[in-house]
Amino acid sequence: MNNQKKLLMKLSGVVVLALATGLIAYPQAVKFYPPFYEKLRELKINLGLDLQGGIHLEYKADMNQIKEEQIDEAMEAVQDVIERKVNAMGVAEPIIYSTRSGSERRLIVELAGVRDINEAKKRIGETPFLEFKEQKDMPEIPQDVFDKINTEAKIRAESILKTALSGEDFAKLAGENSEDPGSRENGGEYDFQKKGSFVPEYEAVIFEKNLKDGEIFPELVETQFGWHIIKRIETRGEGDDREFKSAHILIAKKSNQSLEPEFVSTGLTGKNLKKAAISSSNQGLGNPEVLLDFDEEGAKLFAEITKRNLQKQVAIYIDGQIVSAPTVQSEIKDGKAVISGDFTLEEVKKLTKRLNEGALPVPLSLISQQSVEASLGEESLRKSLKAGLIGLAAVAVFMIVYYRLLGLIAALALVIYAAFMVSLFKLSAFSPWQITLTLPGIAGFILSIGMAVDANILIFERTKEEILRGRDILGALDEGFRRAWTSIRDGNVSSIITALILVEIGTGFVKGFAFTLIVGVLVSMFTAVTISRTLIKFLIGDWMRDRLWLIGVGRKKE
């Protein structure tokens, strides 16, 4: 195959490439098209948060319980969990990354195209923080200390009784003062109960004292739990079927045995959870439970925790709230735990689903939120495209004025380059590396246009030098491309290396800029060295020997 045929084949390839990229980049140019082309017309560039609007959320990670050497690993686990949660929302190409602010670690979540910021926060906030804590050894407090505390508690109870007898709202007083969590939220009130449901001292007042319904007993009633202010609300039934409804305010006694146990972190968190499943005790007759299955690291940790806490409580916390605190009866080596409690089946199903979607290894707190309106994104996109077109036109005019016919060919190659890039943006939707175009990404794209022109300038200047040295035009073109190639290669490789560093250590929009720049540089090298060269060799020949002004050369060097 002679050189002319090779050149024609290359030119045909350039024409086909130009038409294909042009049709993908701007399919509206075709008015009549076959059915299969409809898919191409539906292709869209995936736009980032700053171009199509959306939501920006910033969370602070609490690393107080994480060892220094495990912080990076914990943040990666947090990012993976949130990514799974966001993907379940159906958000296309979310941007999720961790960053630092001084000594703090933060997680940035950007959801392009999402409009309801409250729903997004709710869905992400449903990701639970699961943690296991062990009981801390409590110091023994001298009894005389508790005697003093209890004397003060009794005086306080007497003051509350006096206030209640004066006609103050009993339910309000109970809500503000009672230390019985089982009734405090109900204004201290219990539902109807038969005799035998409470301690004898309490029942003696309700059943044996001659109280009327709605009356408060005028004395404090002391039991093993503390001092009670008792109000009988209603009675019903007779004899053994007699029931009473009452309310009370409890001021509790304090002792070493009555102190609430304090729990401290064990290091076992949701990052070690492999899966959660629903179970039920008592062959389906008891309350439903959640079975937890840990990974290898979690199973080892859980075995150590249960071994050192025999006959002690190990508490299970979800989002900072204790949901279960079973007493360990034996060492558990199989990496399985149970969350039990007063749960309904629906509550257990929801909890299991949330845990399987991913339990956070560290707590997150929302510290910043921002909603970017779609109108602002559209305005930014419009101005960016306008800037890009003006830049492309200005570069094309400069090239044509300065290099004339060579500049015209370079401008044509730039148009093909721009269509090629837009096509890549659209077609990336079919690849694992879908490109999300942001404002910095457009800046990287426009910058790569300048680098594409830079390659052409190097080639053209080398070519002009060879012509002035006396070479014929075709020989000068070959030598110009050959001698300029090393400079083009080295310059572009250094730009790619710098951009790769930005991709590796940068965050968010910086990565978008760097990645788009890398793609643009690679495509610009192809268009400058392959497309421009093919067009130049086809259009320029010996016929220009006496028309060197067409390529900006004044005269040959004698």
Side-chain angles (χ1 to χ4, degrees), residues 264-388:
V264 293
S265 177
T266 62
L268 181 59
T269 66
K271 74 181 179 68
N272 301 113
L273 182 64
K274 188 159 61 176
K275 67 176 181 179
I278 301 173
S279 179
S280 179
S281 59
N282 302 324
Q283 290 74 46
L285 299 177
N287 291 327
E289 301 170 337
V290 180
L291 299 181
L292 305 179
D293 190 7
F294 296 109
D295 59 19
E296 185 177 347
E297 180 189 0
K300 183 179 178 182
L301 271 172
F302 194 53
E304 293 172 356
I305 292 165
T306 53
K307 183 178 181 180
R308 67 173 177 260
N309 285 284
L310 291 173
Q311 303 306 316
K312 295 181 181 179
Q313 288 179 297
V314 171
I316 303 171
Y317 283 75
I318 293 180
D319 292 335
Q321 299 295 318
I322 187 169
V323 295
S324 180
T327 299
V328 179
Q329 302 297 332
S330 61
E331 180 183 355
I332 301 174
K333 299 181 179 180
D334 61 358
K336 298 184 186 299
V338 176
I339 300 178
S340 59
D342 189 19
F343 297 128
T344 65
L345 183 59
E346 277 303 311
E347 289 172 336
V348 167
K349 284 181 178 179
K350 183 176 181 181
L351 177 58
T352 302
K353 180 177 181 292
R354 289 171 61 200
L355 290 171
N356 281 327
E357 285 177 343
L360 292 172
V362 296
L364 292 180
S365 56
L366 182 65
I367 59 173
S368 173
Q369 64 183 51
Q370 181 182 1
S371 180
V372 180
E373 295 297 328
S375 58
L376 294 177
E378 290 172 3
E379 179 69 10
S380 298
L381 179 60
R382 185 183 65 79
K383 289 182 177 180
S384 299
L385 291 177
K386 183 178 179 181

